[in-house]
Short mmCIF file of all heavy atoms in Angstrom, two decimals:
data_model
loop_
_atom_site.label_atom_id
_atom_site.label_comp_id
_atom_site.label_asym_id
_atom_site.label_seq_id
_atom_site.Cartn_x
_atom_site.Cartn_y
_atom_site.Cartn_z
N TYR F 160 13.38 -7.85 0.48
CA TYR F 160 13.11 -9.05 -0.32
C TYR F 160 12.40 -10.14 0.48
O TYR F 160 11.61 -10.91 -0.08
CB TYR F 160 14.43 -9.62 -0.87
CG TYR F 160 15.14 -8.73 -1.86
CD1 TYR F 160 16.53 -8.80 -2.01
CD2 TYR F 160 14.45 -7.83 -2.67
CE1 TYR F 160 17.20 -8.01 -2.93
CE2 TYR F 160 15.11 -7.02 -3.58
CZ TYR F 160 16.48 -7.11 -3.71
OH TYR F 160 17.14 -6.32 -4.62
N ALA F 161 12.72 -10.24 1.78
CA ALA F 161 12.24 -11.37 2.57
C ALA F 161 10.93 -11.08 3.31
O ALA F 161 10.36 -11.99 3.92
CB ALA F 161 13.32 -11.78 3.58
N ARG F 162 10.45 -9.84 3.29
CA ARG F 162 9.21 -9.49 4.00
C ARG F 162 8.17 -9.00 3.00
O ARG F 162 8.07 -7.80 2.70
CB ARG F 162 9.50 -8.42 5.05
CG ARG F 162 10.42 -8.91 6.17
CD ARG F 162 10.85 -7.79 7.09
NE ARG F 162 9.70 -7.09 7.66
CZ ARG F 162 9.80 -5.98 8.39
NH1 ARG F 162 10.99 -5.44 8.61
NH2 ARG F 162 8.73 -5.40 8.88
N PRO F 163 7.37 -9.92 2.45
CA PRO F 163 6.41 -9.55 1.40
C PRO F 163 5.38 -8.52 1.85
O PRO F 163 4.94 -7.69 1.05
CB PRO F 163 5.74 -10.88 1.04
CG PRO F 163 6.04 -11.80 2.18
CD PRO F 163 7.35 -11.36 2.73
N GLN F 164 5.01 -8.54 3.15
CA GLN F 164 4.01 -7.58 3.62
C GLN F 164 4.56 -6.16 3.58
O GLN F 164 3.87 -5.21 3.20
CB GLN F 164 3.57 -7.94 5.04
CG GLN F 164 2.42 -7.07 5.55
CD GLN F 164 1.93 -7.50 6.92
OE1 GLN F 164 2.32 -8.56 7.43
NE2 GLN F 164 1.05 -6.70 7.51
N TRP F 165 5.84 -6.00 3.98
CA TRP F 165 6.47 -4.67 3.94
C TRP F 165 6.59 -4.19 2.50
O TRP F 165 6.29 -3.04 2.19
CB TRP F 165 7.84 -4.73 4.61
CG TRP F 165 8.53 -3.40 4.73
CD1 TRP F 165 7.93 -2.19 4.89
CD2 TRP F 165 9.93 -3.15 4.65
NE1 TRP F 165 8.88 -1.19 4.95
CE2 TRP F 165 10.12 -1.75 4.80
CE3 TRP F 165 11.04 -3.97 4.50
CZ2 TRP F 165 11.39 -1.17 4.79
CZ3 TRP F 165 12.30 -3.38 4.49
CH2 TRP F 165 12.47 -2.01 4.63
N LEU F 166 7.01 -5.08 1.60
CA LEU F 166 7.13 -4.71 0.19
C LEU F 166 5.78 -4.30 -0.37
O LEU F 166 5.69 -3.33 -1.14
CB LEU F 166 7.71 -5.88 -0.61
CG LEU F 166 7.92 -5.64 -2.10
CD1 LEU F 166 8.88 -4.47 -2.35
CD2 LEU F 166 8.46 -6.90 -2.78
N GLU F 167 4.72 -4.98 0.03
CA GLU F 167 3.39 -4.63 -0.46
C GLU F 167 2.96 -3.25 0.04
O GLU F 167 2.36 -2.47 -0.69
CB GLU F 167 2.38 -5.69 0.00
CG GLU F 167 0.98 -5.47 -0.57
CD GLU F 167 0.02 -6.58 -0.19
OE1 GLU F 167 0.46 -7.58 0.43
OE2 GLU F 167 -1.17 -6.45 -0.52
N GLU F 168 3.31 -2.94 1.29
CA GLU F 168 3.00 -1.61 1.83
C GLU F 168 3.70 -0.52 1.03
O GLU F 168 3.15 0.58 0.83
CB GLU F 168 3.43 -1.53 3.29
CG GLU F 168 2.62 -2.39 4.24
CD GLU F 168 3.22 -2.38 5.65
OE1 GLU F 168 4.22 -1.64 5.86
OE2 GLU F 168 2.73 -3.11 6.52
N LEU F 169 4.92 -0.80 0.58
CA LEU F 169 5.71 0.20 -0.13
C LEU F 169 5.34 0.33 -1.61
O LEU F 169 5.67 1.33 -2.24
CB LEU F 169 7.20 -0.16 -0.02
CG LEU F 169 7.82 -0.12 1.38
CD1 LEU F 169 9.22 -0.70 1.36
CD2 LEU F 169 7.84 1.31 1.93
N THR F 170 4.69 -0.70 -2.17
CA THR F 170 4.41 -0.71 -3.61
C THR F 170 2.92 -0.99 -3.87
O THR F 170 2.56 -1.99 -4.50
CB THR F 170 5.25 -1.79 -4.30
OG1 THR F 170 4.98 -3.07 -3.68
CG2 THR F 170 6.74 -1.49 -4.19
N PRO F 171 2.03 -0.12 -3.39
CA PRO F 171 0.59 -0.39 -3.54
C PRO F 171 0.13 -0.46 -5.00
O PRO F 171 -0.90 -1.08 -5.28
CB PRO F 171 -0.06 0.79 -2.80
CG PRO F 171 0.98 1.87 -2.81
CD PRO F 171 2.28 1.16 -2.71
N ARG F 172 0.87 0.16 -5.91
CA ARG F 172 0.46 0.17 -7.32
C ARG F 172 1.11 -0.93 -8.15
O ARG F 172 0.86 -1.05 -9.34
CB ARG F 172 0.76 1.54 -7.94
CG ARG F 172 -0.01 2.68 -7.29
CD ARG F 172 0.27 3.99 -7.99
NE ARG F 172 -0.46 5.09 -7.37
CZ ARG F 172 -0.41 6.36 -7.77
NH1 ARG F 172 0.37 6.68 -8.82
NH2 ARG F 172 -1.09 7.29 -7.16
N TRP F 173 1.99 -1.69 -7.53
CA TRP F 173 2.65 -2.77 -8.26
C TRP F 173 1.69 -3.95 -8.43
O TRP F 173 0.79 -4.17 -7.61
CB TRP F 173 3.88 -3.26 -7.49
CG TRP F 173 5.08 -2.40 -7.65
CD1 TRP F 173 5.11 -1.06 -7.89
CD2 TRP F 173 6.45 -2.81 -7.53
NE1 TRP F 173 6.41 -0.60 -7.93
CE2 TRP F 173 7.24 -1.67 -7.72
CE3 TRP F 173 7.05 -4.03 -7.28
CZ2 TRP F 173 8.63 -1.72 -7.67
CZ3 TRP F 173 8.43 -4.09 -7.24
CH2 TRP F 173 9.21 -2.95 -7.43
N ARG F 174 1.93 -4.73 -9.46
CA ARG F 174 1.21 -5.99 -9.62
C ARG F 174 1.84 -7.05 -8.73
O ARG F 174 3.03 -6.98 -8.39
CB ARG F 174 1.25 -6.45 -11.08
CG ARG F 174 0.62 -5.47 -12.05
CD ARG F 174 0.55 -6.07 -13.46
NE ARG F 174 1.85 -6.53 -13.92
CZ ARG F 174 2.75 -5.74 -14.51
NH1 ARG F 174 2.49 -4.46 -14.68
NH2 ARG F 174 3.90 -6.25 -14.92
N PHE F 175 1.05 -8.05 -8.38
CA PHE F 175 1.56 -9.14 -7.54
C PHE F 175 2.76 -9.81 -8.20
O PHE F 175 3.73 -10.18 -7.54
CB PHE F 175 0.44 -10.17 -7.29
CG PHE F 175 0.92 -11.40 -6.58
CD1 PHE F 175 1.15 -11.39 -5.20
CD2 PHE F 175 1.15 -12.58 -7.28
CE1 PHE F 175 1.61 -12.53 -4.55
CE2 PHE F 175 1.61 -13.72 -6.63
CZ PHE F 175 1.84 -13.69 -5.26
N ALA F 176 2.69 -9.97 -9.53
CA ALA F 176 3.77 -10.65 -10.26
C ALA F 176 5.09 -9.88 -10.14
O ALA F 176 6.16 -10.49 -10.10
CB ALA F 176 3.39 -10.82 -11.72
N GLN F 177 5.01 -8.55 -10.10
CA GLN F 177 6.23 -7.75 -9.95
C GLN F 177 6.87 -7.98 -8.58
O GLN F 177 8.07 -8.17 -8.45
CB GLN F 177 5.92 -6.26 -10.13
CG GLN F 177 5.68 -5.84 -11.57
CD GLN F 177 5.37 -4.36 -11.64
OE1 GLN F 177 4.32 -3.90 -11.17
NE2 GLN F 177 6.28 -3.60 -12.23
N ARG F 178 6.03 -7.97 -7.53
CA ARG F 178 6.56 -8.18 -6.18
C ARG F 178 7.17 -9.58 -6.05
O ARG F 178 8.19 -9.77 -5.39
CB ARG F 178 5.45 -8.00 -5.14
CG ARG F 178 4.89 -6.59 -5.08
CD ARG F 178 3.98 -6.43 -3.87
NE ARG F 178 3.16 -5.25 -4.01
CZ ARG F 178 1.88 -5.27 -4.39
NH1 ARG F 178 1.29 -6.42 -4.65
NH2 ARG F 178 1.21 -4.14 -4.52
N LYS F 179 6.55 -10.52 -6.71
CA LYS F 179 7.02 -11.90 -6.61
C LYS F 179 8.43 -12.05 -7.20
O LYS F 179 9.22 -12.88 -6.75
CB LYS F 179 6.05 -12.82 -7.34
CG LYS F 179 6.32 -14.30 -7.10
CD LYS F 179 5.26 -15.18 -7.74
CE LYS F 179 5.56 -16.66 -7.48
NZ LYS F 179 4.54 -17.52 -8.11
N LEU F 180 8.75 -11.21 -8.20
CA LEU F 180 10.09 -11.27 -8.79
C LEU F 180 11.18 -10.94 -7.77
O LEU F 180 12.30 -11.43 -7.87
CB LEU F 180 10.18 -10.30 -9.98
CG LEU F 180 9.40 -10.68 -11.24
CD1 LEU F 180 9.46 -9.54 -12.26
CD2 LEU F 180 9.94 -11.97 -11.85
N LEU F 181 10.85 -10.08 -6.80
CA LEU F 181 11.85 -9.66 -5.81
C LEU F 181 11.94 -10.59 -4.61
O LEU F 181 12.89 -10.50 -3.82
CB LEU F 181 11.55 -8.24 -5.33
CG LEU F 181 11.66 -7.12 -6.37
CD1 LEU F 181 11.41 -5.76 -5.70
CD2 LEU F 181 13.01 -7.12 -7.05
N ALA F 182 10.96 -11.46 -4.44
CA ALA F 182 10.93 -12.31 -3.25
C ALA F 182 12.08 -13.31 -3.25
O ALA F 182 12.34 -13.98 -4.26
CB ALA F 182 9.59 -13.04 -3.19
N ARG F 183 12.77 -13.41 -2.10
CA ARG F 183 13.83 -14.40 -1.95
C ARG F 183 14.18 -14.52 -0.48
O ARG F 183 13.89 -13.60 0.32
CB ARG F 183 15.06 -14.02 -2.78
CG ARG F 183 15.85 -12.87 -2.22
CD ARG F 183 17.04 -12.54 -3.10
NE ARG F 183 17.95 -11.63 -2.45
CZ ARG F 183 18.89 -10.94 -3.09
NH1 ARG F 183 19.00 -11.05 -4.40
NH2 ARG F 183 19.70 -10.15 -2.42
N PRO F 184 14.83 -15.61 -0.06
CA PRO F 184 15.19 -15.78 1.36
C PRO F 184 16.18 -14.69 1.81
O PRO F 184 16.94 -14.15 1.01
CB PRO F 184 15.85 -17.16 1.39
CG PRO F 184 15.40 -17.85 0.16
CD PRO F 184 15.18 -16.79 -0.87
N ARG F 185 16.16 -14.44 3.10
CA ARG F 185 17.02 -13.40 3.66
C ARG F 185 18.50 -13.70 3.47
O ARG F 185 19.33 -12.81 3.34
CB ARG F 185 16.71 -13.23 5.15
CG ARG F 185 17.32 -12.00 5.79
CD ARG F 185 17.00 -11.96 7.27
NE ARG F 185 15.57 -12.00 7.51
CZ ARG F 185 14.77 -10.92 7.46
NH1 ARG F 185 15.30 -9.74 7.19
NH2 ARG F 185 13.49 -11.03 7.69
N ASP F 186 18.86 -15.00 3.44
CA ASP F 186 20.27 -15.35 3.36
C ASP F 186 20.76 -15.58 1.93
O ASP F 186 21.88 -16.04 1.71
CB ASP F 186 20.55 -16.60 4.19
CG ASP F 186 19.74 -17.81 3.72
OD1 ASP F 186 18.86 -17.64 2.86
OD2 ASP F 186 19.98 -18.92 4.25
N ALA F 187 19.93 -15.25 0.93
CA ALA F 187 20.36 -15.41 -0.46
C ALA F 187 21.49 -14.43 -0.77
O ALA F 187 21.51 -13.31 -0.26
CB ALA F 187 19.19 -15.17 -1.41
N GLU F 188 22.44 -14.85 -1.60
CA GLU F 188 23.58 -13.98 -1.92
C GLU F 188 23.13 -12.82 -2.80
O GLU F 188 22.19 -12.93 -3.57
CB GLU F 188 24.69 -14.77 -2.61
CG GLU F 188 24.33 -15.32 -3.97
CD GLU F 188 25.49 -16.07 -4.62
OE1 GLU F 188 26.51 -15.43 -4.91
OE2 GLU F 188 25.36 -17.29 -4.81
N PHE F 189 23.83 -11.71 -2.66
CA PHE F 189 23.51 -10.54 -3.46
C PHE F 189 23.94 -10.78 -4.91
O PHE F 189 24.96 -11.43 -5.18
CB PHE F 189 24.20 -9.29 -2.91
CG PHE F 189 23.61 -8.81 -1.62
CD1 PHE F 189 24.35 -8.88 -0.44
CD2 PHE F 189 22.33 -8.30 -1.57
CE1 PHE F 189 23.81 -8.44 0.76
CE2 PHE F 189 21.78 -7.85 -0.38
CZ PHE F 189 22.52 -7.93 0.79
N THR F 190 23.16 -10.23 -5.83
CA THR F 190 23.43 -10.38 -7.26
C THR F 190 24.03 -9.08 -7.81
O THR F 190 24.06 -8.05 -7.11
CB THR F 190 22.14 -10.69 -8.02
OG1 THR F 190 21.24 -9.58 -7.91
CG2 THR F 190 21.47 -11.94 -7.48
N ILE F 191 24.47 -9.13 -9.05
CA ILE F 191 25.04 -7.94 -9.69
C ILE F 191 24.02 -6.82 -9.74
O ILE F 191 24.35 -5.64 -9.51
CB ILE F 191 25.55 -8.30 -11.10
CG1 ILE F 191 26.74 -9.26 -10.99
CG2 ILE F 191 25.94 -7.05 -11.88
CD1 ILE F 191 27.19 -9.84 -12.32
N ALA F 192 22.75 -7.16 -10.00
CA ALA F 192 21.71 -6.13 -10.07
C ALA F 192 21.39 -5.52 -8.70
O ALA F 192 20.77 -4.46 -8.61
CB ALA F 192 20.43 -6.71 -10.67
N ASP F 193 21.83 -6.19 -7.61
CA ASP F 193 21.61 -5.65 -6.26
C ASP F 193 22.60 -4.56 -5.90
O ASP F 193 22.34 -3.73 -5.02
CB ASP F 193 21.73 -6.77 -5.21
CG ASP F 193 20.55 -7.72 -5.23
OD1 ASP F 193 19.44 -7.27 -5.54
OD2 ASP F 193 20.77 -8.92 -4.93
N ILE F 194 23.76 -4.55 -6.54
CA ILE F 194 24.82 -3.60 -6.16
C ILE F 194 24.36 -2.14 -6.25
O ILE F 194 24.57 -1.37 -5.31
CB ILE F 194 26.09 -3.85 -7.00
CG1 ILE F 194 26.67 -5.25 -6.70
CG2 ILE F 194 27.14 -2.79 -6.73
CD1 ILE F 194 27.06 -5.49 -5.26
N PRO F 195 23.73 -1.72 -7.35
CA PRO F 195 23.24 -0.33 -7.38
C PRO F 195 22.19 -0.04 -6.31
O PRO F 195 22.11 1.08 -5.80
CB PRO F 195 22.64 -0.19 -8.78
CG PRO F 195 23.28 -1.26 -9.59
CD PRO F 195 23.50 -2.39 -8.64
N LEU F 196 21.38 -1.05 -5.94
CA LEU F 196 20.37 -0.85 -4.91
C LEU F 196 21.03 -0.69 -3.54
O LEU F 196 20.60 0.13 -2.73
CB LEU F 196 19.39 -2.02 -4.91
CG LEU F 196 18.71 -2.34 -6.24
CD1 LEU F 196 17.68 -3.45 -6.07
CD2 LEU F 196 18.04 -1.10 -6.83
N LEU F 197 22.07 -1.48 -3.28
CA LEU F 197 22.83 -1.32 -2.04
C LEU F 197 23.47 0.06 -1.97
O LEU F 197 23.46 0.71 -0.92
CB LEU F 197 23.91 -2.40 -1.94
CG LEU F 197 23.45 -3.83 -1.67
CD1 LEU F 197 24.61 -4.81 -1.85
CD2 LEU F 197 22.89 -3.96 -0.26
N ASP F 198 24.01 0.51 -3.09
CA ASP F 198 24.66 1.81 -3.12
C ASP F 198 23.64 2.93 -2.93
O ASP F 198 23.91 3.92 -2.25
CB ASP F 198 25.40 2.00 -4.45
CG ASP F 198 26.41 3.13 -4.39
OD1 ASP F 198 27.43 2.96 -3.70
OD2 ASP F 198 26.17 4.18 -5.02
N GLU F 199 22.47 2.76 -3.53
CA GLU F 199 21.39 3.75 -3.36
C GLU F 199 20.99 3.83 -1.89
O GLU F 199 20.81 4.93 -1.34
CB GLU F 199 20.20 3.36 -4.22
CG GLU F 199 19.16 4.44 -4.41
CD GLU F 199 19.57 5.47 -5.45
OE1 GLU F 199 20.31 5.12 -6.38
OE2 GLU F 199 19.14 6.64 -5.32
N ALA F 200 20.85 2.66 -1.26
CA ALA F 200 20.49 2.64 0.16
C ALA F 200 21.58 3.28 1.01
O ALA F 200 21.29 4.04 1.95
CB ALA F 200 20.24 1.20 0.61
N ALA F 201 22.83 2.97 0.70
CA ALA F 201 23.94 3.55 1.47
C ALA F 201 23.96 5.06 1.37
O ALA F 201 24.29 5.76 2.34
CB ALA F 201 25.27 2.97 0.97
N GLU F 202 23.60 5.58 0.20
CA GLU F 202 23.57 7.03 0.00
C GLU F 202 22.54 7.69 0.91
O GLU F 202 22.74 8.80 1.41
CB GLU F 202 23.25 7.33 -1.47
CG GLU F 202 23.56 8.74 -1.90
CD GLU F 202 25.06 9.02 -2.05
OE1 GLU F 202 25.87 8.07 -1.96
OE2 GLU F 202 25.40 10.19 -2.25
N LEU F 203 21.42 6.99 1.14
CA LEU F 203 20.34 7.54 1.97
C LEU F 203 20.52 7.22 3.45
O LEU F 203 20.09 7.99 4.31
CB LEU F 203 19.00 6.98 1.50
CG LEU F 203 18.59 7.33 0.06
CD1 LEU F 203 17.35 6.56 -0.35
CD2 LEU F 203 18.34 8.83 -0.07
N LEU F 204 21.17 6.10 3.74
CA LEU F 204 21.33 5.68 5.13
C LEU F 204 22.52 6.36 5.81
O LEU F 204 22.47 6.68 6.99
CB LEU F 204 21.50 4.16 5.22
CG LEU F 204 20.27 3.32 4.86
CD1 LEU F 204 20.63 1.85 4.81
CD2 LEU F 204 19.15 3.56 5.87
#
């Protein structure tokens, strides 16, 4: 969320507006919609 250049590398087909929706400071609290993403990452990590 906090590194727009990395997100752009990972999503070359996304629109700028889509990437902007995910942008937020590194210390922002996790939201309910983040929980499945954390779990997905944990499954792979």
Side-chain angles (χ1 to χ4, degrees):
Y160 294 153
R162 295 172 56 188
Q164 186 175 351
W165 184 33
L166 181 60
E167 185 176 355
E168 291 173 4
L169 295 171
T170 57
R172 297 183 180 180
W173 281 29
R174 299 187 305 275
F175 173 77
Q177 285 179 292
R178 296 190 196 101
K179 190 175 180 181
L180 289 173
L181 295 184
R183 73 181 192 196
R185 192 182 303 277
D186 60 352
E188 65 178 296
F189 288 113
T190 64
I191 293 171
D193 288 328
I194 296 300
L196 306 184
L197 288 170
D198 197 70
E199 194 79 29
E202 196 73 8
L203 298 172
L204 292 172

